[in-house]
Amino acid sequence: MPAKKGGGQWVHDQGNAEGKEQPIFRNEYKLSECCSDNEDLFGDYDSIVGDSSFLAKLEDVELDMGKREKQAADSVPKARRSMTEQLKRAMLGNATTSSPSISRLAVQKEAVVTEEISVAVQAMESVSTETDLGPFFGLPSKVKDLISKLRGIKDLYDWQKTCLTLDSVQQRKNLIYSLPTSGGKTLVAEILILKELMCRKKDALLILPYISLVQEKVRGLASFGLELDFLVEEYAGSKGKFPPVKRRAKNSLYIATIEKGHSLVNSLVETGRLDSIGLVVVDELHMLGDGNRGAILEMTLTKVLYVSRDTQIIGMSATLGNTGDLKTFLKADNYTNDFRPVQLKEYVKLRDSIYEVNPIEEECFRLSRPLNFKYSANMQKIDPDHIIALVTEVIPKHSCLVFSPTKKNCENVAVMICKYLKKEFLAYKEGEKAMLLEELRASGNGSLCPVLQKTVPYGLAYHHSGLTSDERKLVEEAYSAGVLCLLTCTSTLAAGINLPARRVILRSPYVATAFLKRSQYKQMVGRAGRAGIDTSGESILILQDKDKLMAKQLLSSPMEKCYSNLMHDNGKGIQSLILSLIGLNITKSLVDIKEFMSFTLLSVQEGLICQEKSLWDITEESVQFLKQKGLISVSTDLGNNTVLTITKLGKATYKGSIDLTYSDTLYKDLLKGLESLMLNSFLHLIYLVTPYDVVSQCKPDWMVYYRQFSMLSASEQRMSAFVGVPESFVARKAAGQSVKKTVDTVVVNRLYLALVLFSLLKETDLWSVSDKFQLPRGFIQNLLSSSSAFSSCVLHFTEELEEFWAYKALLTELTRRLTYCVQPELIPLMEVAGVLEVRAKQLYNAGYKTLAHLANADPNLLVRSVQNLSKRQAKQIVASAKMLLTEKAVALQEEVDDLLTLPLDLPSS
């Protein structure tokens, strides 16, 4: 086992009944291991080697430590600090000692040594601040017991133990680790987060790609926070405080989406508090290569690297192609393992045969078995790919996922399979499936999707973005519980939620019309095999002859490389980055910006990405662009040096995380809105926070538009005309007549979406609004989610501009309504992570009407009071409510303490 940081050792515990390695910390400081007589710690730096006083002082320290070893165990931290202080004094004293005649070379050498000593001292200080609390990788046994109790994990995999004892982990270096899907990456990250919170007493930030994953993780870690005395705070959608509340007594784990994580880091940089974050963990690190979101993630990590040299960064992913570039970017070590808890067997189906995939062989495909399914002529016509036969080999006793290229295909495949399933499928878990249908109907206020009505009795359902959040959650829970045995789904399920299966079938090697990428394929097939349930998992990719060659390339090719996206969309990322750097006072000149840019992934990959222009030229052009947009100003100081400062509009733009494409449009819209802001209805405000980037996703149904327009009040119609959509225009379009007057189509489409949101806020019934506007309910809910997040951004934008003071109170309330979009009495319950509208109604009707009610609830009573609520879910709800209540109480206590604290600058007589 590797040596433990801080002078301790990992030794075998003879008293352990299981005979396993247990970490036992012994206070044995052996300075000879650090700097022996035969070893020169500083190479040929004569300014140190030639100074015998340095070694003499080291000897004094060693003798002093011999005395200290005899002291009681509780003096260990003090001893560490004392050693560090003496070493620091000795090193710095010798490094700065002046000599009568110093050559230029000697000065340069001394400067280098001083810098290296400073780094060494910082490393020693970071070591000394970490407390070893116990035998479970430096954590108390209580943590191991909690993992066993809450997760059902009795022991760690060998690779996890190896990873947790790596030198890079012990020395708090940045680390990238990659394993196949389902390999257990998350648990390692969680243990490291707990070490940061408990041992180093620092906050931690966990960045996840999707809101659903953030909410799932907040629920899952709330119980750990309550037991181990730290806070778990959600930063997703419109949730999260900027800057976060400064805690005195407790440390916080911030769980954030990519966008919210960036805003959080910005707020901590601005308040000089980034050092309070000791650890940043990024799940799905390959998201760096994902368009605009990848650019935001790169900005976040680069700021952490540049501003806080003591914050450790850990990135994990199942799909990393060019780890070398990412190692250079993050200045990180790398750990890779191909471990999977359940063996995965990959197959392809071609015509009437199944072939095993063996990418090492030249042919790639090896015949596994011929298929001889007894299909009728009609059945063969409907299901030429034999999906029905392939799924019935495993369901209903085992689970199966069928990935389809489109949402419509998902639904069609589910209906097709049901038509040919035997009647015995209806009897399997009949009562649970009937209850699921009731809950699905309740989630739609009495409405139920006709496809789900047909498929659920057979144990099947579809899963794609067209489902509402409530439906998606109910379907996922039913699948995890074994009530549903098969899901037909799109590729987004593979990246979003951990729902494994015995068999995974890929209906086609396409996502929409694009051929599968290697990373997408790996994520999908990685869902095959359920740890603790299956001994093996299998995937089957269905191919047509025309796709055979491309499929061979797909299955034998390496993982796609991850490239910087700061240049995505004409360099929008690099422009946003520079704007925030100037606004946060990280950089004040072009030279500073150039230095910062050298820390980016884009700089590492400059030769590949910046082929037409150098990174320096692109940086200068970006600065000029920001100046032309009125977001920054350029001046010179007394020394004729260029100074970059942010304008008020620029500050509002980066503080509100507003896309640079729309910042000036938003400003003009808000300014124009002040001229006749309608306050007797929410419609005007809703229009102002309807996201610009979703406008292109929906074209109005003109008859619906006119019908809804006609139902508006006179003042609402005047407001519509004011923003640029008169009634006459909508009437002519509905009648199919030509319109001579030119109208801004973006404004017209944006108002249409605002009417959808306006109707939803009034009725809070997603199904009736979906029916009224003839739009998919999933699209409407995504629109609502995007609008609540954008409303929060617009609120922060207006807070920075005095002329928009009136919007602050108005947008605060609107953001709250858009976030939950339910009856007001349900909002306190829906603040709890993972409690959606259906569950909130059930809890409210059962008598749990406030956050305090939930926080003090008995999980056993909850299970009996609320229909179809499992014990595990009940415990998570209670834990999440307790955590939220604790956060609010701690924040209020901090406020009280601040009010009662004696001012430091109080005048004295």
Side-chain angles (χ1 to χ4, degrees):
M1 297 291 283
K4 187 164 176 31
K5 190 166 63 174
Q9 291 181 323
W10 294 93
V11 298
H12 191 73
D13 182 6
Q14 300 293 341
N16 183 5
E18 295 178 0
K20 294 182 180 178
E21 297 263 320
Q22 291 290 338
I24 298 177
F25 188 76
R26 289 183 179 170
N27 185 19
E28 295 176 357
Y29 291 96
K30 297 184 180 179
L31 294 182
S32 60
E33 292 179 4
C34 300
C35 184
S36 69
D37 293 337
N38 302 322
E39 193 176 2
D40 181 5
L41 182 64
F42 299 101
D44 61 350
Y45 294 133
D46 49 271
S47 59
I48 289 292
V49 177
D51 193 341
S52 60
S53 65
F54 175 68
L55 295 177
K57 289 181 183 180
L58 273 179
E59 189 176 346
D60 290 342
V61 173
E62 190 172 297
L63 290 171
D64 184 54
M65 284 308 306
K67 296 175 185 176
R68 291 176 183 270
E69 281 180 346
K70 298 175 184 177
Q71 296 177 354
D74 60 356
S75 68
V76 172
K78 184 178 178 183
R80 289 188 192 169
R81 285 196 301 271
S82 179
M83 183 185 76
T84 304
E85 287 165 6
Q86 292 192 52
L87 278 171
K88 184 177 178 179
R89 283 199 298 271
M91 286 177 166
L92 294 178
N94 282 287
T96 56
T97 300
S98 58
S99 59
S101 57
I102 305 176
S103 68
R104 186 175 178 184
L105 180 62
V107 171
Q108 289 175 340
K109 281 186 176 183
E110 240 178 315
V112 171
V113 175
T114 304
E115 184 179 351
E116 293 206 0
I117 290 171
S118 176
V119 171
V121 169
Q122 284 179 8
M124 287 160 58
E125 286 177 340
S126 70
V127 169
S128 67
T129 57
E130 183 171 322
T131 309
D132 190 331
L133 297 177
F136 185 66
F137 303 99
L139 288 165
S141 298
K142 183 179 181 180
V143 174
K144 184 179 182 181
D145 296 339
L146 277 173
I147 291 172
S148 175
K149 177 184 172 184
L150 299 173
R151 300 281 173 80
I153 298 171
K154 304 296 182 186
D155 195 14
L156 271 62
Y157 298 127
D158 288 342
W159 84 262
Q160 291 172 324
K161 295 174 184 176
T162 301
C163 189
L164 286 166
T165 51
L166 290 171
D167 286 343
S168 50
V169 172
Q170 302 296 329
Q171 295 164 19
R172 296 195 71 256
K173 293 180 181 177
N174 294 347
L175 176 69
I176 298 168
Y177 65 98
S178 53
L179 283 97
T181 302
S182 304
K185 297 184 294 296
T186 305
L187 182 59
V188 169
E190 288 176 357
I191 291 171
L192 293 173
I193 286 169
L194 293 178
K195 283 190 73 173
E196 197 66 32
L197 293 163
M198 297 176 68
C199 301
R200 298 192 73 241
K201 300 295 181 185
K202 290 268 195 171
D203 298 333
L205 168 61
L206 172 59
I207 297 176
L208 299 167
Y210 305 109
I211 291 176
S212 58
L213 291 178
V214 169
Q215 292 173 340
E216 184 184 355
K217 193 58 68 179
V218 168
R219 287 198 307 274
L221 290 174
S223 297
F224 284 89
L226 292 170
E227 292 284 347
L228 303 173
D229 200 32
F230 63 85
L231 298 174
V232 179
E233 302 187 43
E234 179 183 346
Y235 278 77
S238 60
K239 291 186 178 180
K241 293 182 180 178
F242 302 106
V245 177
K246 196 172 185 179
R247 317 288 186 187
R248 291 188 184 89
K250 291 178 182 278
N251 289 106
S252 291
L253 166 58
Y254 308 112
I255 304 180
T257 55
I258 291 170
E259 294 79 7
K260 285 290 181 177
H262 183 229
S263 297
L264 178 65
V265 165
N266 278 349
S267 70
L268 289 170
V269 170
E270 187 174 33
T271 52
R273 289 169 48 196
L274 188 58
D275 285 339
S276 66
I277 301 279
L279 175 66
V280 175
V281 176
V282 180
D283 196 4
E284 311 293 358
L285 186 63
H286 62 270
M287 292 290 288
L288 279 165
D290 184 28
N292 184 53
R293 304 192 78 210
I296 294 171
L297 182 57
E298 184 176 343
M299 292 181 216
T300 306
L301 294 176
T302 310
K303 285 171 185 172
V304 172
L305 285 167
Y306 188 84
V307 176
S308 178
R309 308 293 168 94
D310 193 41
T311 300
Q312 185 184 16
I313 296 174
I314 291 180
M316 50 181 171
S317 177
T319 55
L320 286 176
N322 52 338
T323 313
D325 285 354
L326 301 182
K327 280 175 61 180
T328 305
F329 164 48
L330 294 176
K331 301 175 177 59
D333 288 350
N334 178 45
Y335 177 79
T336 305
N337 197 304
D338 59 2
F339 171 80
R340 270 184 60 93
V342 178
Q343 183 187 3
L344 171 63
K345 296 177 180 177
E346 297 177 41
Y347 300 95
V348 298
K349 177 189 172 294
L350 196 60
R351 296 180 187 169
D352 292 329
S353 298
I354 297 285
Y355 297 85
E356 187 174 354
V357 174
N358 191 343
I360 300 172
E361 293 182 4
E362 187 177 344
E363 181 55 28
C364 194
F365 302 151
R366 182 195 299 155
L367 181 65
S368 175
R369 60 179 170 125
L371 299 178
N372 188 25
F373 297 129
K374 295 177 181 178
Y375 269 33
S376 65
N378 185 50
M379 199 171 169
Q380 180 68 35
K381 185 178 179 182
I382 292 174
D383 181 25
D385 294 324
H386 305 112
I387 292 173
I388 298 166
L390 291 172
V391 301
T392 51
E393 286 182 337
V394 290
I395 65 170
K397 291 186 178 179
H398 299 288
S399 58
C400 184
L401 295 175
V402 179
F403 285 101
S404 295
T406 65
K407 288 184 284 190
K408 191 62 183 171
N409 192 249
C410 276
E411 298 177 30
N412 291 341
V413 168
V415 171
M416 176 194 74
I417 294 171
C418 286
K419 282 182 180 177
Y420 292 95
L421 289 180
K422 295 177 181 177
K423 299 299 179 186
E424 292 88 80
F425 279 83
L426 292 169
Y428 188 77
K429 297 197 175 184
E430 188 175 4
E432 291 96 324
K433 289 184 289 194
M435 193 174 288
L436 173 59
L437 283 173
E438 283 181 32
E439 289 199 302
L440 286 167
R441 187 175 281 107
S443 75
N445 289 320
S447 300
L448 178 63
C449 169
V451 174
L452 292 176
Q453 191 167 15
K454 288 178 186 175
T455 61
V456 167
Y458 287 92
L460 278 65
Y462 65 88
H463 185 293
H464 58 59
S465 60
L467 292 171
T468 66
S469 299
D470 278 310
E471 288 173 320
R472 199 154 54 237
K473 189 170 176 60
L474 288 168
V475 165
E476 288 164 5
E477 288 175 353
Y479 177 82
S480 297
V483 176
L484 296 175
C485 57
L486 184 145
L487 294 182
T488 57
C489 43
T490 51
S491 60
T492 50
L493 179 137
I497 299 292
N498 183 25
L499 294 176
R502 165 67 72 89
R503 177 177 286 180
V504 170
I505 298 172
L506 279 65
R507 174 79 178 74
S508 158
Y510 292 88
V511 173
T513 56
F515 202 81
L516 271 180
K517 294 179 182 176
R518 175 75 174 167
S519 56
Q520 291 172 322
Y521 169 78
K522 275 296 184 185
Q523 277 195 322
M524 285 190 257
V525 302
R527 295 293 168 214
R530 299 164 298 171
I533 301 173
D534 298 327
T535 53
S536 66
E538 57 186 26
S539 66
I540 301 173
L541 171 61
I542 296 175
L543 295 176
Q544 309 302 321
D545 284 329
K546 65 182 179 65
D547 298 319
K548 185 178 176 182
L549 187 60
M550 288 180 70
K552 283 184 177 180
Q553 292 173 349
L554 166 74
L555 295 167
S556 58
S557 64
M559 209 68 73
E560 289 89 8
K561 293 185 176 180
C562 178
Y563 293 110
S564 168
N565 271 269
L566 288 180
M567 292 301 296
H568 175 72
D569 199 4
N570 297 316
K572 194 190 295 179
I574 200 169
Q575 294 159 3
S576 297
L577 174 58
I578 292 171
L579 178 66
S580 65
L581 293 179
I582 298 167
L584 293 167
N585 286 319
I586 294 175
T587 57
K588 295 182 179 179
S589 67
L590 276 171
V591 175
D592 292 343
I593 293 173
K594 184 178 183 181
E595 182 193 1
F596 183 95
M597 294 306 296
S598 69
F599 279 69
T600 62
L601 176 61
L602 179 59
S603 174
V604 175
Q605 299 173 332
E606 180 179 0
L608 292 168
I609 298 173
C610 309
Q611 294 183 344
E612 295 180 6
K613 297 176 184 175
S614 70
L615 181 54
W616 177 239
D617 290 337
I618 293 167
T619 302
E620 285 187 312
E621 286 179 7
S622 299
V623 170
Q624 287 302 313
F625 170 81
L626 294 172
K627 182 185 175 185
Q628 290 165 8
K629 291 269 285 185
L631 301 174
I632 64 169
S633 60
V634 182
S635 59
T636 53
D637 60 13
L638 295 174
N640 209 30
N641 298 310
T642 303
V643 178
L644 305 173
T645 52
I646 198 160
T647 63
K648 286 185 177 180
L649 178 59
K651 188 175 183 182
T653 300
Y654 95 79
K655 291 271 279 196
S657 301
I658 304 296
D659 191 317
L660 292 181
T661 308
Y662 309 117
S663 61
D664 49 357
T665 306
L666 175 63
Y667 180 81
K668 289 172 186 174
D669 284 347
L670 290 170
L671 200 61
K672 185 179 180 183
L674 287 178
E675 295 175 22
S676 60
L677 187 60
M678 183 179 63
L679 297 177
N680 62 347
S681 164
F682 269 119
L683 182 59
H684 198 167
L685 282 174
I686 289 171
Y687 169 78
L688 291 172
V689 300
T690 300
Y692 295 96
D693 56 356
V694 298
V695 171
S696 60
Q697 297 174 24
C698 175
K699 292 183 179 179
D701 179 317
W702 294 108
M703 284 303 297
V704 172
Y705 205 155
Y706 182 68
R707 195 180 305 124
Q708 294 303 313
F709 201 99
S710 303
M711 294 168 65
L712 297 176
S713 67
S715 59
E716 287 166 348
Q717 289 190 1
R718 283 197 299 273
M719 168 258 148
S720 300
F722 174 75
V723 299
V725 189
E727 183 184 11
S728 58
F729 170 80
V730 181
R732 282 180 171 275
K733 293 293 285 186
Q737 298 174 3
S738 60
V739 181
K740 294 179 181 178
K741 188 178 180 181
T742 56
V743 177
D744 189 337
T745 55
V746 172
V747 172
V748 172
N749 293 5
R750 194 169 176 227
L751 181 63
Y752 185 69
L753 293 178
L755 288 172
V756 174
L757 291 167
F758 184 51
S759 182
L760 191 58
L761 272 192
K762 285 194 296 185
E763 300 178 34
T764 71
D765 183 352
L766 200 63
W767 281 82
S768 66
V769 175
S770 171
D771 185 56
K772 190 183 296 180
F773 286 88
Q774 292 299 295
L775 290 170
R777 59 196 184 281
F779 171 81
I780 294 175
Q781 192 157 60
N782 289 334
L783 171 65
L784 180 65
S785 177
S786 299
S787 298
S788 69
F790 188 58
S791 181
S792 177
C793 292
V794 176
L795 172 58
H796 293 304
F797 180 87
T798 57
E799 284 174 337
E800 299 301 321
L801 298 163
E802 292 176 11
E803 59 266 44
F804 295 145
W805 62 269
Y807 283 115
K808 184 176 179 180
L810 297 169
L811 290 176
T812 301
E813 175 58 22
L814 179 62
T815 302
R816 183 169 174 266
R817 291 208 179 194
L818 288 170
T819 299
Y820 301 107
C821 194
V822 292
Q823 297 302 321
E825 63 269 17
L826 297 179
I827 289 177
L829 301 177
M830 290 188 65
E831 287 182 350
V832 178
V835 174
L836 302 176
E837 185 177 4
V838 173
R839 189 69 79 206
K841 284 179 179 177
Q842 289 178 324
L843 292 166
Y844 189 86
N845 293 334
Y848 300 95
K849 300 184 177 183
T850 67
L851 189 60
H853 282 151
L854 277 185
N856 293 285
D858 177 357
N860 295 311
L861 187 57
L862 264 184
V863 171
R864 291 197 296 271
S865 306
V866 177
Q867 192 180 40
N868 206 26
L869 180 69
S870 71
K871 185 78 174 287
R872 184 183 67 85
Q873 291 164 348
K875 285 181 175 179
Q876 284 191 340
I877 286 173
V878 172
S880 297
K882 280 182 179 175
M883 178 57 68
L884 197 55
L885 206 60
T886 303
E887 281 178 37
K888 291 176 184 268
V890 170
L892 288 171
Q893 186 60 56
E894 300 279 356
E895 194 174 336
V896 169
D897 292 344
D898 284 340
L899 288 170
L900 297 178
T901 301
L902 195 68
L904 295 174
D905 56 351
L906 185 69
S908 58
S909 56

